[in-house]
Amino acid sequence: MNNGIRQFHRWVSIVFTLTVIANFVVMGFGHQIMWVTYAPLPPLFLLLFTGLYMFALPYFTKSRAAQ
Ligand code: HEM
């Protein structure tokens, strides 16, 4: 389960990076395409939640071990 979350975060980070690169490419051509501009936001949200989950994980396992 946790490994699945980590893999998911990993692959979504690639998608996020590609959407950011797409933004620079579109800007480089002097255009602004609305859906490209906002394309990084959905993967960024997924990264935020899975990232915060991974951040909190060690604290959960520690408190469980202390009991
Ligand atoms: C948006 C908020 C984000 C949060 C809160 C977050 C948090 C984290 C955390 C806690 C880890 C695990 C570190 C560890 O204990 O080993 C991690 C791993 C990682 N993060 Fe994020 N992250 C975020 C966004 C991003 C973004 C924007 C990228 C890249 C575009 C990214 C790429 C990665 C990669 C490649 C890993 C390693 C995954 C692995 O171990 O296989 N993250 N992140």
Side-chain angles (χ1 to χ4, degrees), residues 6 9-10 13 16-17 44 47-48 51-52 54-55:
R6 188 172 284 272
H9 190 83
R10 229 183 135 108
S13 77
F16 172 75
T17 307
L44 185 60
L47 283 170
L48 178 65
L52 288 175
M54 281 196 288
F55 181 86

Side-chain angles (χ1 to χ4, degrees), residues 29-57:
F29 283 109
H31 297 301
Q32 203 198 7
I33 304 172
M34 242 11 179
W35 71 265
V36 176
T37 306
Y38 293 114
L41 292 181
L44 185 60
F45 266 100
L46 294 174
L47 283 170
L48 178 65
F49 293 120
T50 52
L52 288 175
Y53 176 79
M54 281 196 288
F55 181 86
L57 215 55

